[in-house]
Amino acid sequence: MTTQRRGAVAFQNVQKKFGAFTAIPDLTLQIEPGELVTLLGPSGCGKTTTLRMLAGLESPTAGRILIGGEDVTNLPANRRDVSMVFQSYALFPHMTVAQNVAYGLESGGMKSGPARDAAEKGLDLVGLDGMGERLPSELSGGQQQRVAVARALVLEPQVLLLDEPLSNLDARLRRRVRTEIRQLQQRLGFTAVYVTHDQEEALAVSDRIVVMKDGRIAQQGAPRALYEQPASAFIADFIGESNVISCTVEKVMDGIAQVRVGNLTQQVPARSATVGPAQLSVRANAITVQEGQGPFAGRIASSAYLGDHLEYEIDTSVGSLFAVDAEGDIPLSPGTSVTLGFRSRGLALIE
Amino acid sequence: MNRDNRRLDVLFIAALICFAVLPWYRLRGGFFTLDWVGSYLSDDRTWPGLTQLDQWWLWPVPLLIAIAAILRFTRPAGQRGGWLALTGAAGITWMVIQGLSVGLRGWNWGALEMLGDVAGQQAFGAGAVGILLCFAAMIAFGLAERGALKGDAFVIGSITLLILLVTLFVFYPLLSMFTGAFQDYDGSFTAAGVARNIGDPNIWSLGCVTGTGGCGVAWRTFFLAICTATGTTFLGLAFALVATRMRLPFKKSIRLLTVLPIITPPFVIGLALTLMLGRAGFVTEFIEDTTGWELGRWIYGLTGIWVAQMLSFTPIAFLILIGVVEGVSPAMEEASQTMRATRWRTFRRVSLPLMAPGIANAFLISFIESMADFGNPLVLGGNGGVLSTEIFFAVVGAQHDPSRAAVLATVLLGFTLSAFLAQRLWLGRRNFATVSGKGDGGNHAALPRRLAWPMTAIVVLWAAFTVFVYGMILFGGFVKTWGLDHTLTLEHYARAFSVTFDGGIAWTGIAWTGVAWNSFWTTMEIALIAAPLTAAVGLLTAWLIVRQRFPGRGIFEFALMMSFAIPGTVIGISYIMAFNLPPIQMTGTALILIFCFVFRNMPVGVRGGIAAMAQLDGSLDEASLTLGASSPRTLRKVILPLLRPAILAALVYSFVRAITSISAVIFLVSAKYNLATAYIVGLVENGEYGIAIAYSSVLIVVMITVIGTFQLLVGERRLRRRIEPIPKIKPREVPT
């Protein structure tokens, strides 16, 4: 079985309670060796608790956790073959960068000479060669973040855990560092579990995204599958902004459903839909907005200019819709009557 | 899971050594001298537990160890944890039961005689204590294998050990004291002593109110504590307001004054007052000579104690109140002023109510300090003592009435614990000191003029008085006979600290011929042993409380903090009653002094540690753990280097307290292990004021030197390249 292999992770019916509060009711999850899995969800959904249980920083109330086929449920953190990159980086402020990176190696019994060499290699890996003698406080935020990654990677753990590793970086740096992390992971082939609340980040780095809600897995799958075929209104709204509209499925043929919204009909992949009333998820950028009258009419409630795109709040017969227009450059003023249409990409029937 | 087995194997080897090699019972000559090694085979009193098995009550000990060993070899690590922990717990329970039941001359409790006659046994020795620790380790390993506290054996072990130690050195003595009150000389139950003392009019009489004579000692002490608390809080507030709200040239030196009482042995102020205002004091004589009034002995008694306590405790109140006064957000005062309130109205209706909980806090702490004070009443008490001195005289005096001492100690404990509970439960939730993370701009409102001038006058006068008193202390060591002959001399220093060099230049050795050397070196030795232990235990406890989530954590912390409110006198008397007889017998040793210091000063280390640890990001510990470092390594490599200022503060505090403390240790010193303070008190009782003062001055100088050395040894944290200012040591931590 794959769960026996180095780098495989399994949660088996794991439960976690904090006093009377149940953070994770019953979690079962397999992670394949070499996979980068993102735990995504709003705050309080249990994603960080899951990660910390894997690291050994929390112990589950019930259930088993396996790493590389070994039951580690009762094993303290320092005896598990994982390492972690913390949100705050948690670099030891009294040690130099090289000492930080060598710390884990020396803890594992390596002599300080070889540990120093390995640390130097680790720093090379993240592009910080020659910075070893500095103190963490003398580095920029992005550099500190890379030291934290190097410190975790030099141990060559079976699984690398990343707890919101980019949340302390500014937007521009975030994009670069997440690419670096992804490239490193693919080059070295280690298993990684990545916690974030940022759906864009999750889409960018993951092999598989596990969306969590209230301690349960709401949906999991490859980024594209999740984005294009959200299983529920929650997923649809959480991954990329969506409008959820009531609609009627008129007929289903060859896996294509014909859907009616107001006076518009539209073809969408049927999935498991049957004829009758249903819910349609419509991405904000899948709505076309044009001034004038038409079959699907609306009135602009508010508009905003955001440089490369325009955002509209539109009152329609099926409720208020949120639309993004990437082509227009002068926003329509509130009160304008508009006619709406759908692009075929960005629509999905949800259960 | 080889690691689980390996540490169990080490445990079994240790248990075997404790049971089959080390002396089971206490050795008269002491274990650490290693004198017993020579006569080990010939003297059956030094034999290990294995040879004492004719005493049937020791059988469960090897039996339980054997059970644990069977568990180790028959079951895998995942399945035996609970049983191991149970075995360990059973072992500790049995050791406690048999130790308390079988005393020196057979059964300790009459009711147990129906189990048949037993021979007596000595107190626990190295072997027995070792076995107790092995059982504790067994609990820890067992629980760790079950995955408790994330499977961290070190954490569970530390918690187990600390609970054992705190029980043994805080609660067991108190319990012994209560039971001691109900025991006759032969150990049988009697309520006579308690009945005689509990209603004693000497304790409880309210005669001074009803006009039929004097008041009982309990009410006198209470009255004194109220007066001292009121006075010190008022003065402390005045100092704090002047220091923060006014531009005065000597503000820095006010803070300097606050360090003085911490490094002053507690009775020195009383002594200085005697020398100034006593019957032969020079101020008294001056006034009597010039005015012809007869001043008499007014300084002896409550008035004198009150003045001395005001001098001693005002700085403590100041330290609390300066935080309170600075904590009031300037924005509130500015808001009040923009609403057209005058400065006086702002102060009375906004600033003062916001400070009220802090002021009450300072009041309660001064109250506890005054209640617990022993040094000043001892010197100035005269005939009208307070509870702490009465306890002392009930034990060492002619009356020798332990049950009276126990009753008095209980009364005293009742007062201080009530104040402590009031402070924790009532004030704990009412804190308006508004220090938020936000940068609160603005300036504190200046004091209203009708307050500013009187306050400044009081502060200046009191500061001058304090400086004068301390000047007297230094000066007093250099004059021949205080009050009579003010010729300058070094005679006192010479008698106390003379040194004779043998062999001149050839240097064959030093003879410490001064009278003070003996107690001086003992004090230094014990203080230097106790200080690192206190810091270690205190910071370890703080780490556990802040970073670990274990059941009973709140109670554990509360119990520790409560021990701060136990007056030293009560600790002294309870230690005698607990550790004078088996199962734990330590009176007359250096060990009891060390333990006394460690557990008396630990709460301050804990408090400092908690405050410092709260500023350390918790993910630093976690990062270290996930990088494969064990918890001890995490502590050593990550936490300790970052906690250096807290370590330094704990070291300095426990060292200084070990040198200046008198109330507890005066019960525990012996001819062999005498401490400086106890020795000085003896000098004062003999009227040798000169040497007493010379010795005290030397102590103060030594403490300043050692504090400086500690500072160098512990060094600074290096977090940034620029040189950080050396963190200011909070001279005296106060429970808030």
Side-chain angles (χ1 to χ4, degrees):
Chain A
M1 251 183 67
T2 51
T3 51
Q4 298 292 325
R5 297 217 318 265
R6 189 182 146 80
V9 172
F11 286 82
Q12 297 179 346
N13 300 102
V14 169
Q15 185 193 48
K16 177 65 186 175
K17 288 184 178 177
F18 292 102
F21 169 68
T22 305
I24 311 265
D26 181 5
L27 178 78
T28 297
L29 177 67
Q30 304 273 347
I31 297 172
E32 305 297 321
E35 194 181 17
L36 194 158
V37 170
T38 305
L39 303 179
L40 176 68
S43 60
C45 72
K47 56 189 192 299
T48 297
T49 305
T50 307
L51 191 78
R52 289 170 59 82
M53 284 196 291
L54 187 52
L57 299 172
E58 303 283 355
S59 23
T61 315
R64 299 203 312 157
I65 298 174
L66 288 88
I67 297 174
E70 187 199 359
D71 184 345
V72 297
T73 317
N74 289 341
L75 222 53
N78 57 320
R79 286 160 65 181
R80 297 189 185 190
D81 193 8
V82 300
S83 52
M84 182 153 163
V85 176
F86 288 81
Q87 183 172 11
S88 60
Y89 316 142
L91 299 179
F92 306 130
H94 58 299
M95 298 182 190
T96 64
V97 166
Q99 282 168 342
N100 263 287
V101 179
Y103 181 84
L105 296 167
E106 285 172 13
S107 297
M110 196 187 273
K111 290 271 180 305
S112 66
R116 185 55 63 99
D117 295 342
E120 209 49 59
K121 280 203 194 99
L123 287 174
D124 278 353
L125 202 62
V126 295
L128 285 178
D129 35 322
M131 302 276 214
E133 289 316 304
R134 300 209 187 167
L135 286 172
S137 57
E138 296 170 317
L139 300 184
S140 71
Q143 288 171 325
Q144 290 182 17
Q145 207 277 344
R146 282 188 272 168
V147 175
V149 170
R151 184 174 72 171
L153 278 183
V154 289
L155 296 178
E156 297 175 10
Q158 290 192 42
V159 188
L160 180 71
L161 311 177
L162 302 117
D163 183 11
E164 310 223 3
L166 308 181
S167 62
N168 284 342
L169 300 178
D170 62 51
R172 192 173 305 213
L173 206 52
R174 214 176 286 175
R175 193 164 304 139
R176 208 180 81 206
V177 175
R178 82 181 178 214
T179 317
E180 284 172 5
I181 290 178
R182 178 59 167 165
Q183 283 170 348
L184 213 54
Q185 186 263 339
Q186 286 181 326
R187 185 146 56 94
L188 304 178
F190 54 84
T191 312
V193 183
Y194 192 112
V195 160
T196 181
H197 64 264
D198 181 341
Q199 47 97 10
E200 186 189 313
E201 201 175 306
L203 291 171
V205 300
S206 317
D207 289 313
R208 175 153 59 111
I209 298 177
V210 176
V211 185
M212 295 182 72
K213 190 192 178 197
D214 299 332
R216 293 187 174 81
I217 297 179
Q219 191 181 355
Q220 53 175 314
R224 202 168 151 203
L226 244 63
Y227 188 83
E228 294 188 349
Q229 294 168 357
S232 62
F234 169 74
I235 304 284
D237 195 39
F238 196 78
I239 300 191
E241 276 175 296
S242 287
N243 302 284
V244 176
I245 309 175
S246 301
C247 64
T248 320
V249 178
E250 293 186 320
K251 66 176 184 198
V252 180
M253 227 171 82
D254 300 335
I256 303 288
Q258 185 175 319
V259 175
R260 168 175 294 277
V261 180
N263 297 327
L264 273 180
T265 53
Q266 188 75 34
Q267 311 261 315
V268 294
R271 302 174 79 186
S272 57
T274 50
V275 174
Q279 300 273 310
L280 184 68
S281 147
V282 182
R283 296 282 169 206
N285 56 10
I287 301 176
T288 58
V289 184
Q290 268 175 331
E291 201 170 353
Q293 302 293 325
F296 189 13
R299 183 182 295 272
I300 303 283
S302 69
S303 60
Y305 174 75
L306 282 99
D308 62 342
H309 68 272
L310 308 171
E311 286 182 2
Y312 293 114
E313 202 74 53
I314 306 164
D315 292 328
T316 70
S317 56
V318 292
S320 172
L321 295 182
F322 174 67
V324 168
D325 181 1
E327 276 132 38
D329 43 88
I330 301 164
L332 300 168
S333 49
T336 313
S337 292
V338 289
T339 174
L340 305 175
F342 293 133
R343 296 178 214 278
S344 56
R345 272 201 66 200
L347 302 185
L349 280 168
I350 53 184
E351 281 119 48
Chain B
M1 306 258 174
N2 269 332
R3 223 153 144 174
D4 294 327
N5 280 338
R6 211 178 321 134
R7 66 185 179 206
L8 273 183
D9 292 341
V10 173
L11 171 65
F12 288 129
I13 292 168
L16 203 67
I17 293 174
C18 291
F19 194 69
V21 181
L22 292 181
W24 185 258
Y25 289 118
R26 174 176 182 268
L27 303 172
R28 203 167 283 271
F31 174 78
F32 294 102
T33 58
L34 297 183
D35 290 342
W36 51 277
V37 175
S39 56
Y40 179 62
L41 290 178
S42 56
D43 188 350
D44 64 356
R45 282 176 302 183
T46 67
W47 286 358
L50 189 62
T51 63
Q52 321 268 2
L53 285 177
D54 52 324
Q55 297 163 328
W56 56 264
W57 59 88
L58 293 186
W59 294 347
V61 174
L63 195 70
L64 286 167
I65 295 173
I67 291 177
I70 292 170
L71 283 170
R72 140 85 175 90
F73 286 105
T74 55
R75 295 226 193 169
Q79 294 169 25
R80 64 188 178 207
W83 289 107
L84 270 180
L86 270 182
T87 313
I92 289 184
T93 315
W94 182 254
M95 286 294 284
V96 170
I97 291 177
Q98 63 97 354
L100 288 175
S101 304
V102 185
L104 277 175
R105 281 184 290 280
W107 293 114
N108 270 340
W109 316 89
L112 291 171
E113 271 155 21
M114 62 188 199
L115 292 173
D117 269 350
V118 293
Q121 62 174 354
Q122 288 287 325
F124 288 169
V129 172
I131 283 287
L132 263 174
L133 294 178
C134 287
F135 281 130
M138 207 179 284
I139 298 180
F141 293 163
L143 290 177
E145 283 180 16
R146 290 197 51 176
L149 288 171
K150 297 160 217 153
D152 197 324
F154 175 78
V155 172
I156 307 175
S158 309
I159 293 172
T160 319
L161 188 67
L162 278 174
I163 291 177
L164 275 183
L165 285 174
V166 170
T167 314
L168 182 59
F169 289 106
V170 179
F171 294 104
Y172 171 62
L174 288 181
L175 206 66
S176 306
M177 190 182 76
F178 292 132
T179 50
F182 288 99
Q183 270 178 341
D184 226 337
Y185 289 107
D186 60 353
S188 56
F189 174 84
T190 169
V194 174
R196 188 173 66 241
N197 283 308
I198 204 136
D200 188 347
N202 279 335
I203 301 178
W204 292 112
S205 159
L206 275 171
C208 52
V209 181
T210 53
T212 53
C215 265
V217 65
W219 295 121
R220 277 210 310 271
T221 313
F222 180 71
F223 177 68
L224 171 70
I226 294 280
C227 290
T228 301
T230 313
T232 51
T233 309
F234 174 74
L235 277 178
L237 186 62
F239 271 90
L241 285 173
V242 169
T244 54
R245 307 276 169 114
M246 293 184 69
R247 291 164 192 278
L248 284 179
F250 58 88
K251 261 162 56 167
K252 282 250 165 64
S253 39
I254 287 185
R255 299 224 179 207
L256 211 66
L257 277 187
T258 60
V259 187
L260 282 176
I262 294 126
I263 55 171
T264 314
F267 42 79
V268 168
I269 293 195
L271 199 54
L273 284 182
T274 318
L275 298 182
M276 280 165 63
L277 302 166
R279 222 150 57 120
F282 72 98
V283 175
T284 310
E285 295 205 330
F286 176 75
I287 295 175
E288 285 182 351
D289 286 351
T290 48
T291 62
W293 294 340
E294 186 69 36
L295 287 174
R297 302 171 49 85
W298 68 274
I299 193 78
Y300 300 100
L302 290 192
T303 331
I305 304 175
W306 182 69
V307 175
Q309 289 187 340
M310 292 282 286
L311 281 164
S312 308
F313 304 140
T314 297
I316 295 166
F318 168 73
L319 277 182
I320 302 169
L321 286 167
I322 194 150
V324 174
V325 169
E326 282 177 341
V328 171
S329 165
M332 311 266 182
E333 292 174 350
E334 287 179 343
S336 163
Q337 282 173 321
T338 59
M339 285 179 268
R340 296 179 195 166
T342 59
R343 277 201 273 178
W344 171 244
R345 189 176 159 80
T346 301
F347 181 78
R348 205 167 51 88
R349 299 293 299 273
V350 176
S351 315
L352 209 54
L354 285 175
M355 295 174 197
I359 293 173
N361 189 21
F363 181 88
L364 285 172
I365 287 175
S366 302
F367 178 87
I368 293 176
E369 292 275 359
S370 162
M371 275 266 166
D373 186 22
F374 177 76
N376 289 318
L378 189 67
V379 176
L380 291 169
N383 296 326
V386 293
L387 278 170
S388 56
T389 50
E390 288 288 302
I391 293 169
F392 178 64
F393 290 124
V395 179
V396 302
Q399 44 179 328
H400 189 73
D401 186 349
S403 76
R404 179 177 176 79
V407 168
L408 288 169
T410 312
V411 172
L412 179 55
L413 191 60
F415 277 123
T416 55
L417 281 189
S418 313
F420 170 76
L421 288 179
Q423 189 232 8
R424 272 301 269 223
L425 302 180
W426 173 58
L427 282 181
R429 276 174 236 121
R430 294 160 47 89
N431 192 357
F432 300 138
T434 41
V435 184
S436 61
K438 282 184 287 182
D440 239 350
N443 294 316
H444 281 296
L447 278 183
R449 205 163 291 126
R450 70 179 93 170
L451 264 180
W453 293 114
M455 289 256 172
T456 314
I458 290 169
V459 164
V460 169
L461 278 177
W462 189 257
F465 183 47
T466 310
V467 171
F468 185 61
V469 168
Y470 275 92
M472 283 305 101
I473 295 170
L474 279 182
F475 179 60
F478 293 103
V479 298
K480 209 156 193 153
T481 314
W482 190 275
L484 295 176
D485 182 358
H486 285 184
T487 331
L488 289 181
T489 172
L490 283 172
E491 181 197 338
H492 304 306
Y493 284 90
R495 271 194 61 203
F497 292 101
S498 63
V499 173
T500 312
F501 301 99
D502 292 344
I505 295 165
W507 188 260
T508 51
I510 315 171
W512 306 100
T513 42
V515 290
W517 284 118
N518 189 15
S519 60
F520 178 80
W521 288 124
T522 312
T523 308
M524 285 300 135
E525 189 185 330
I526 287 181
L528 283 175
I529 295 173
L533 277 177
T534 315
V537 174
L539 293 174
L540 180 67
T541 312
W543 180 70
L544 292 173
I545 288 175
V546 174
R547 290 285 198 262
Q548 308 295 332
R549 300 274 167 272
F550 54 94
R553 189 174 61 104
I555 300 170
F556 184 61
E557 187 192 355
F558 186 77
L560 272 179
M561 288 304 137
M562 196 185 74
S563 64
F564 191 90
I566 306 176
T569 332
V570 176
I571 291 188
I573 188 103
S574 66
Y575 269 43
I576 300 188
M577 289 187 160
F579 302 124
N580 206 19
L581 285 173
I584 310 279
Q585 192 178 342
M586 300 195 297
T587 44
T589 64
L591 216 52
I592 195 170
L593 293 169
I594 294 172
F595 277 119
C596 176
F597 285 139
V598 169
F599 287 91
R600 190 152 159 59
N601 299 330
M602 183 176 78
V604 175
V606 174
R607 194 146 268 291
I610 287 179
M613 207 98 57
Q615 295 175 348
L616 283 191
D617 184 358
S619 56
L620 287 175
D621 302 40
E622 294 176 345
S624 171
L625 286 177
T626 58
L627 290 169
S630 59
S631 338
R633 187 177 156 87
T634 303
L635 269 179
R636 202 178 69 234
K637 290 281 194 176
V638 178
I639 309 289
L640 290 189
L642 291 172
L643 281 188
R644 276 193 175 158
I647 297 173
L648 178 64
L651 273 179
V652 166
Y653 178 82
S654 46
F655 176 78
V656 165
R657 285 288 294 233
I659 290 181
T660 59
S661 160
I662 177 80
S663 52
V665 294
I666 200 160
F667 295 90
L668 305 175
V669 292
S670 49
K672 195 170 169 197
Y673 296 103
N674 202 358
L675 293 182
T677 45
Y679 185 76
I680 297 175
V681 165
L683 290 173
V684 173
E685 281 172 349
N686 293 336
E688 304 204 48
Y689 294 127
I691 301 184
I693 283 210
Y695 198 166
S696 305
S697 316
V698 168
L699 281 184
I700 292 178
V701 172
V702 166
M703 277 183 275
I704 294 174
T705 318
V706 174
I707 289 172
T709 317
F710 272 141
Q711 200 132 24
L712 283 181
L713 277 182
V714 177
E716 297 167 42
R717 299 193 275 190
R718 194 179 67 127
L719 303 186
R720 286 168 203 90
R721 284 270 185 247
R722 72 185 167 80
I723 300 194
E724 279 183 303
I726 293 165
K728 210 180 281 165
I729 303 137
K730 219 180 200 165
R732 181 160 190 159
E733 285 284 346
V734 201
T736 42

